[in-house]
Every structure is written in C-alpha cells, then in structure tokens.
Amino acid sequence: MQELGTSEAAARARAFYDYGETAIFASTADPRFHMLLYVPPTVAQGRKVDLLVAVHGTGRTSAIEFRDGFSEFGLYNDCAILCPIFPINVRGDGARSGYKYLVEGDIRYDHVVLSMVEEMAAKYGQDWSTFAMFGFSGGGHFTHRFALLHPEKLWAASIGAPGSVTLLNPEKDWWIGTRDLAEKFGRPLDIEALAKVPVQMVVGALDLETWEITHKPGSVYYMDGANDPGSTRPERLRSLQKSFEAAGVKVTFDEVPGVSHDRLKVLGHVKQFLAQVLKEKRA
C-alpha cells in the first residue's frame, strides 16, 4: 500500500475533519467550551457563505441534531452551521442552565459564542461579522437574550420554545426585564438595532408541560414576576412577541399544530424562515 505524503495526508485530514460535518473542536479562547460545524465543501475552494449559529437545549445532544438537521439546508443555501456546546457542570457545581441567562460566575456565554464565530471565520476565510442564530428550549432562552445584547451581530434570529422570557421591560431588572442591562452587561439595549433584525418565534401548539418552566420561590432563577408572562411555553412566547412588537420589531410567529416540545418537528418552519431572509438579504 502506497503511503501518503505529509502534505497529501494533511489535505485529506482537513477534508475529512474540517469540511462537511466536522469533528468537535475546543474553543481556543476558552477550551472548556466546544463546537461542531457543517461547512459546505465548496468553502475549501474559496466560496463565501453565510453562517447560522444553532444553540442546543438543556440536554446538549441537540447540538449534533441541529448540525445534521441543518446540513442539507446549509449545502443548498450556501450557509455554514456552527453549534456551540456548553457542558453541564462547567464550573463544578452541577449547574445545567447558566448559559441560558448569558452569564454564570465569570463566564459570559455571549462572549464565548462571539469568540467561536471569530475563530471559525478566520479558519475558513469568511466574513461572519453578522450571522443568524436559532435556538430551541434552552437555546431559545439564549437566542432571544443574545439578540437583546448584540442585535447588530444578527441578520436573523429564530427563537424556539424558551421556557422563560426576558421582556423589554425597563421597570424590571434582568433576567425578567431590561432595566439594569447596561449595568450588568456593559451594553445598553439598542432598540433601533433590534428592530432591524428579522425575528421568528416558533413553538408547538401542544407544548403545554409546565413542570420544568415554573419558577418557584427559592429556586436559582426565581424572581418576583418570573411566571407573569404565562404558564406554558406558547403563552410565554406570545408575551415575548407582544414585547418585541411594541418596540417595533417585526416578528414571524409560528405555532405548529399537533407538536409538543419536539425540536426536530419545528426545523422545517425555521428553514423556511431563514431561506426567505437569506433571499432578501442577498437580493
């Protein structure tokens, strides 16, 4: 058997691990956090593509499901897919939900994602100064809060079935409102920039379980008023829709009939939304 030369072997390894459905990479900025991607093979020949960041839920396994679920979309729409992975117990305390609220101890999860995007843009020779973001369940938490902090970075946001929502309420503190946003994150709420972001909100019409999303006194993220936006995910997402629209944000709301808390059964609606935004963006 003929052995490959060093350069040929390296090229084959790049083709195998760095393009298409990639290996899992550690973030250079913070190796506690990982990512996997779908990168259209044409990028290896210098093709420029857009980027979708797809954020997992509490179980984390949806990172792979989203990467694979969006790969065909990415191939035919010239769009790379980046799926960050925020492990449970990253601070050694067993916590599952810190990333949903963007800050946990000394970790700023929004900064983690921005550093991942910057690193991968350099790796693949792309301009990903703006990107789209989709998240479902815990990822829906992350996506709408990321949009509040960094609307200028997004060409679209798809917010899927978050268990709790941050309303644009200047009379309530984070996380249920935005009064202390600048103090907590060093960035004021930029309503004008947010209003420029095409936003989709998507949830199953039968997503009615409340056991995981009802905040009880004494729980980690309990605040007075935490349950006011509604008892179910559809109710809470409708409250977020009203809050966004009152601020001038255009929202496409998709309540999917016959679907419960099933991330894979809403992806078709998300792809349709993103494809339309890409068409308008590239016109």
Side-chain angles (χ1 to χ4, degrees):
M1 181 180 294
Q2 183 178 3
E3 292 188 6
L4 296 176
T6 302
S7 60
E8 187 179 354
R12 183 170 292 187
R14 285 193 300 271
F16 192 78
Y17 295 112
D18 294 357
Y19 293 92
E21 295 171 344
T22 75
I24 297 175
F25 302 109
S27 165
T28 299
D30 191 335
R32 292 177 295 179
F33 303 107
H34 305 138
M35 70 193 108
L36 65 163
L37 302 91
Y38 172 78
V39 180
T42 52
V43 169
Q45 283 77 53
R47 190 168 184 86
K48 302 304 180 184
V49 299
D50 285 288
L51 177 68
L52 167 65
V53 174
V55 185
H56 61 66
T58 308
R60 276 69 175 175
T61 55
S62 57
I64 294 176
E65 293 174 345
F66 290 160
R67 191 275 306 276
D68 295 351
F70 280 109
S71 61
E72 186 176 28
F73 172 87
L75 176 63
Y76 291 109
N77 289 277
D78 283 336
C79 193
I81 317 300
L82 189 159
C83 300
I85 302 173
F86 307 127
I88 291 174
N89 196 42
V90 72
R91 300 177 69 237
D93 56 4
R96 294 188 297 267
S97 296
Y99 79 97
K100 303 173 189 177
Y101 300 88
L102 303 189
V103 60
E104 183 179 26
D106 63 346
I107 303 169
R108 280 282 300 271
Y109 286 96
D110 56 325
H111 291 171
V112 173
V113 167
L114 290 171
S115 68
M116 288 178 174
V117 171
E118 183 178 2
E119 179 181 353
M120 292 298 106
K123 175 183 175 74
Y124 292 104
Q126 300 291 317
D127 176 8
W128 289 337
S129 52
T130 62
F131 48 90
M133 182 174 287
F134 161 71
F136 186 87
S137 195
H141 277 256
F142 185 93
T143 297
H144 83 279
R145 295 187 179 112
F146 185 94
L148 296 181
L149 279 187
H150 303 283
E152 78 289 347
K153 300 299 295 184
L154 297 175
W155 54 257
S158 177
I159 301 160
S164 299
V165 293
T166 298
L167 304 183
L168 306 184
N169 186 344
E171 298 180 358
K172 297 287 186 178
D173 285 339
W174 187 267
W175 59 266
I176 64 171
T178 55
R179 177 168 56 194
D180 61 342
L181 196 71
E183 177 183 345
K184 192 170 187 67
F185 293 100
R187 295 177 63 88
L189 181 62
D190 189 341
I191 294 292
E192 185 176 343
L194 183 62
K196 295 176 182 178
V197 180
V199 172
Q200 178 191 41
M201 299 182 184
V202 60
V203 66
L206 300 182
D207 196 347
L208 305 177
E209 293 282 352
T210 61
W211 66 271
E212 193 176 22
I213 68 173
T214 302
H215 294 275
K216 298 179 180 180
S219 61
V220 174
Y221 292 102
Y222 179 80
M223 295 179 68
D224 186 33
N227 299 307
D228 288 354
S231 59
T232 67
R233 293 175 197 267
E235 289 174 358
R236 293 183 178 185
L237 201 55
R238 286 288 185 188
S239 294
L240 187 65
Q241 176 193 16
K242 292 176 182 176
S243 178
F244 271 43
E245 289 181 339
V249 182
K250 182 180 178 181
V251 177
T252 299
F253 197 99
D254 288 312
E255 188 170 298
V256 186
V259 171
S260 58
H261 198 58
D262 191 328
R263 52 191 175 260
L264 297 182
K265 289 184 178 178
V266 306
L267 289 191
H269 293 267
V270 177
K271 293 172 188 177
Q272 184 177 18
F273 168 76
L274 293 174
Q276 181 61 36
V277 175
L278 276 174
K279 181 180 178 180
E280 295 170 0
K281 175 178 180 287
R282 293 166 176 171

